[in-house]
Amino acid sequence: MAAKAKASVAASTFRLGGWAQRRATGSARLTGEAEAAKENLVAFQQEIARLRDEKVRMATGHATAGRSFVKLAPSLVAQRRDGIEA
């Protein structure tokens, strides 16, 4: 009976070793995926910041163009009134 118990313990130890190895492999894979996800998140956040900056530049450009048009509008009205097409 003792030999059977020793064999059972050896088999359990072997299975436990395999289980631990699979867990270590899975953990390493998940760590790699987490690092890749972190890099993607950082890149995404940088892209968002770049787009925000671009939005501000475009809004500033539109505001500047709007002010220029407001300054130009009276002369356009005068030209049309005089029959001159712009």
Side-chain angles (χ1 to χ4, degrees), residues 13-83:
T13 303
F14 179 74
R15 285 192 305 266
L16 184 59
W19 178 84
Q21 180 62 37
R22 287 189 303 276
R23 291 299 154 268
T25 302
S27 178
R29 182 181 54 81
L30 288 175
T31 300
E33 289 177 7
E35 287 296 324
K38 182 179 174 183
E39 290 173 10
N40 287 338
L41 178 61
V42 168
F44 185 66
Q45 289 172 332
Q46 291 171 343
E47 182 69 9
I48 289 172
R50 185 188 69 75
L51 290 171
R52 276 193 192 121
D53 291 344
E54 184 177 334
K55 182 177 94 173
V56 169
R57 281 193 308 274
M58 291 185 73
T60 302
H62 289 172
T64 303
R67 283 195 301 271
S68 297
F69 181 75
V70 169
K71 291 178 185 175
L72 183 62
S75 64
L76 290 175
V77 170
Q79 288 176 358
R80 288 202 176 179
R81 186 185 56 224
D82 297 337

